[in-house]
Amino acid sequence: MIIYNNIWLANLLIREEAQKARKAEAISINEQKEIEDKHPVGFYSPNIFIRIGLFILTCIIVSFSIGLLMLMVSDTNVIDKWGFSFLWGFLLTSLLS
């Protein structure tokens, strides 16, 4: 099931091909601009500063959530067991990949 607009996805591929052709100097800058005008893409794409800010905010939220969970289970002496560390390592590795 594709949740994105199929026309926007096709236009994105066309724009990428036009960019590759421009880098290979197969088309001119004007032709690339015409292609981009004829094939608009309506996806939201934040600038680099917003992306970096969202990444940092996500890291802070995740670390606070893990810290809160560790505080809740610290009295149960479950942290002293080897399986707890293995479980957290497995969960974090699977979440990051």
Side-chain angles (χ1 to χ4, degrees):
M1 176 182 213
I2 297 176
I3 61 172
Y4 295 112
N5 188 341
N6 290 332
I7 296 171
W8 288 354
L9 289 173
N11 289 347
L12 189 63
L13 290 174
I14 292 170
R15 284 178 155 211
E16 287 176 1
E17 289 296 321
Q19 187 176 17
K20 288 179 187 176
R22 176 66 194 127
K23 285 183 180 178
E25 296 182 1
I27 61 173
S28 67
I29 295 172
N30 293 334
E31 290 173 333
Q32 183 183 7
K33 287 182 181 178
E34 287 178 11
I35 291 171
E36 288 177 358
D37 290 340
K38 289 181 182 178
H39 301 284
V41 176
F43 296 127
Y44 172 69
S45 180
N47 64 12
I48 189 71
F49 297 112
I50 300 295
R51 289 182 188 188
I52 291 171
L54 288 173
F55 174 75
I56 292 171
L57 182 64
T58 302
C59 289
I60 291 170
I61 290 171
V62 167
S63 65
F64 284 171
S65 300
I66 291 173
L68 181 63
L69 187 63
M70 291 295 182
L71 284 173
M72 288 191 295
V73 298
S74 65
D75 289 339
T76 62
N77 293 330
V78 119
I79 295 175
D80 298 334
K81 310 248 189 280
W82 66 270
F84 184 72
S85 299
F86 180 75
L87 175 68
W88 272 110
F90 178 74
L91 287 175
L92 291 177
T93 305
S94 63
L95 286 174
L96 292 174
S97 61

